[in-house]
Amino acid sequence: MMRCMMVSLALSLFPAGAAFAGDTGAAQAQNGAKLYVKHCAKCHGDQGEGSKKAPPVVGKNALPLDPPATAKKRTTKFHTAMDVAAFVVKNMPPNKPGSLKTEEYFDILAFDLKANGVDVSKKPINAETAKQIVLHP
């Protein structure tokens, strides 16, 4: 009886189709889209297209292996998604680097990866799985 009550409570709080950020990369990407708008779009553009202030994070010129010649902060190569995460946690947002929660950074990364055609639907994006996502061999 107690189990039935708990299941009913869980179903009422989290209806079918609801996802927790972190349950899957897809759920993270959904949350990451909101976080991107709040923390990243001002510099990187509404669609991740980049601006005079910051490079693109979506599209053919996004996340290149080597830092662009015009890069002000980036000096490392982006072989894996974890390389991107390490850079972003240390340097973003530029006015308060490292100020987001770790899971928020990974949610934004999931959003960015999905926007660039990486399938993030099967597992959550975290430090371990990000190491396995090769952007540039």
Side-chain angles (χ1 to χ4, degrees):
M1 171 108 172
M2 180 63 112
R3 184 168 185 252
C4 286
M5 287 173 43
M6 294 302 286
V7 169
S8 294
L9 177 62
L11 289 174
S12 67
L13 293 174
F14 306 104
F20 301 98
D23 275 356
T24 66
Q28 283 180 284
Q30 194 172 31
N31 190 52
K34 295 173 196 164
L35 292 167
Y36 176 87
V37 169
K38 183 176 179 180
H39 299 287
C40 313
K42 180 180 176 185
C43 294
H44 291 283
D46 292 340
Q47 305 298 312
E49 70 277 10
S51 70
K52 290 181 182 180
K53 293 182 188 179
V57 293
V58 175
K60 67 179 182 121
N61 295 321
L63 311 176
L65 173 63
D66 294 307
T70 58
K72 294 177 184 165
K73 294 185 180 200
R74 183 176 158 206
T75 58
T76 58
K77 294 185 180 230
F78 286 169
H79 289 283
T80 68
M82 190 60 209
D83 295 332
V84 176
F87 172 80
V88 171
V89 168
K90 184 178 177 185
N91 295 285
M92 299 293 139
N95 59 339
K96 279 183 104 177
S99 61
L100 304 180
K101 295 176 185 172
T102 300
E103 58 268 14
E104 291 176 318
Y105 282 110
F106 281 107
D107 288 356
I108 294 168
L109 179 61
F111 164 71
D112 193 32
L113 292 170
K114 183 178 179 185
N116 282 295
V118 176
D119 181 7
V120 297
S121 66
K122 296 188 176 38
K123 53 188 165 188
I125 305 302
N126 56 43
E128 288 306 309
T129 58
K131 290 176 192 173
Q132 299 166 11
I133 299 171
V134 177
L135 303 174
H136 305 282

